[in-house]
Amino acid sequence: MRPEILIVGQGLAGTLLAWELERAGLAFEIADAGHAGTASAAAAGMISPITGRRLVPSWRYETLRPIARDAYRAIEAALGVPLWREMRVRRLFADTREQEIFSERHARGEFAPWLVGHDDAGFSVNGAAHVDVERLLTASRTRWRAAGWLREEVVDVMAEVRRRRCVIDCTGLVAARAAPWAFLPWEFSKGEIITVAVERLAPELIVNRREWVVPSGPGAAWIGATHEAGVTDPATTTAAREKLIAAGAALLGAAHGLAVTGQRAGVRVAVRDKRPVAGRHPQHAALGIINALGAKGALWAPWLARLWVGHLARGEPFAPEVDVRR
């Protein structure tokens, strides 16, 4: 018998939602044709307590990080693969304005839970993490394909809505461009990252100054990410590659000679208030969504998936800050 719940899209949001449904014992099916060009395909999986050029403490970080850690640790145990790494961040000041912002926020105690040191060049924080998004998506896909829960095809979402109790759209840019969700104030940003071979990196240290370097394994790292507001073409570009090579060289220094091994691009989806969206469509009760994860999908997706399970299993409302009806 066909499950009453269909997840459309097996990117980061759809994958975390499927795991939460599985743990809750709720039958589901996933429809996904592949990850090419999606934001998840180019996601570096960074989770950090301080973000952006204005050095803003991540929204709800002290609440959401433990939820994310527990979710990824549980998936690790089920899949038998490592996914979650505890990290620290060395944030280098890009200019004098960032130094001033840091001094102002530090004086107000905004960094107190995580700050471990600072100097004229920058500051360091604990409490960051890295999620191996590619391994998570690939291993999960293999599991659900073997279980017969994955349909590797494009589906007509509204046709499925007429046949199911609940269809949850987790397709990011595709959903944002679809007519049912046109009422939301979408914003888009293209991002590119490169993978590099590089030696002598501290394995648990993320280095950041506008761009960042994240160690991804022995002798390997991610460098990213570019931001092109309003651009929705997911093709990689030479200009982004050269910019990221230069940024990596500046962050690591000449002694860390690096060789590019790959490049990826994806389109981040957000809404105007920079919060994610989750919940049921205001006119189509059987249609739901998780979207607008921006650059914080690794942190937000586990919590949003938990909200959906609470709603489906116990009728709990969605948090008002993320409810699509806001």
Side-chain angles (χ1 to χ4, degrees):
M1 190 171 79
R2 179 172 52 212
E4 292 187 342
I5 301 171
L6 175 68
I7 301 169
V8 183
Q10 193 250 319
L12 195 52
T15 295
L16 268 296
L17 176 58
W19 276 106
E20 287 296 324
L21 291 172
E22 183 176 340
R23 277 195 288 270
L26 297 174
F28 64 91
E29 193 172 39
I30 306 168
D32 181 272
H35 301 139
T38 66
S40 295
M46 281 198 308
I47 292 176
S48 177
I50 310 296
T51 64
R53 296 190 176 190
R54 295 194 59 78
L55 309 180
V56 179
S58 291
W59 179 64
R60 285 195 169 192
Y61 195 75
E62 291 186 82
T63 299
L64 300 187
R65 186 188 189 278
I67 293 172
R69 179 196 60 220
D70 292 349
Y72 293 118
R73 290 296 195 198
I75 298 170
E76 281 184 331
L79 292 174
V81 298
L83 297 173
W84 174 274
R85 277 191 298 154
E86 300 284 341
M87 305 289 285
R88 57 192 175 90
V89 178
R90 171 64 171 163
R91 176 68 183 255
L92 302 172
F93 297 128
D95 50 38
T96 55
R97 180 56 186 148
E98 280 195 3
Q99 288 180 300
E100 293 168 356
I101 293 171
F102 171 80
S103 297
E104 293 165 3
R105 293 190 181 279
H106 179 42
R108 294 196 293 267
E110 294 183 22
F111 304 143
W114 314 288
L115 187 68
V116 293
H118 62 93
D119 52 37
D120 291 341
F123 62 94
S124 299
V125 294
N126 285 333
H130 175 255
V131 177
D132 191 331
V133 174
E134 182 176 15
R135 180 176 287 166
L136 167 67
L137 299 188
T138 301
S140 299
R141 192 177 190 88
T142 299
R143 174 191 180 91
W144 294 322
R145 183 190 294 120
W149 300 346
L150 174 67
R151 296 166 56 187
E152 295 184 278
E153 59 183 279
V154 175
V155 298
D156 182 328
V157 171
M158 295 311 295
E160 294 290 341
V161 165
R162 291 189 287 272
R163 295 195 289 263
R164 309 263 187 169
R165 169 192 168 202
C166 188
V167 176
I168 306 170
D169 196 335
C170 299
T171 57
L173 180 62
V174 173
R177 286 173 160 172
W181 303 108
F183 66 92
L184 290 168
W186 300 111
E187 295 180 349
F188 308 108
S189 171
K190 178 180 178 179
E192 297 189 51
I193 62 176
I194 57 175
T195 57
V196 299
V198 58
E199 300 298 333
R200 297 183 297 278
L201 291 184
E204 311 304 328
L205 178 65
I206 298 169
V207 183
N208 178 271
R209 184 176 56 213
R210 301 279 167 85
E211 289 78 27
W212 39 255
V213 177
V214 182
S216 58
W222 297 97
I223 299 176
T226 60
H227 291 266
E228 295 182 81
V231 178
T232 57
D233 172 12
T236 59
T237 63
T238 301
R241 180 187 180 101
E242 292 176 349
K243 178 180 180 180
L244 294 173
I245 291 171
L251 285 169
L252 298 176
H256 288 84
L258 54 88
V260 178
T261 58
Q263 182 174 358
R264 298 181 185 181
V267 179
R268 308 176 192 89
V269 180
V271 290
R272 194 172 300 129
D273 65 5
K274 309 305 181 188
R275 298 286 183 263
V277 294
R280 293 185 183 266
H281 192 283
Q283 277 80 48
H284 306 286
L287 177 62
I289 195 169
I290 296 178
N291 208 327
L293 302 185
K296 296 184 174 63
L299 176 64
W300 290 348
W303 175 55
L304 299 173
R306 184 178 289 189
L307 291 180
W308 257 110
V309 169
H311 176 73
L312 291 169
R314 299 179 293 278
E316 295 172 358
F318 292 92
E321 303 97 323
V322 304
D323 195 323
V324 68
R325 298 168 184 264
R326 72 184 188 274

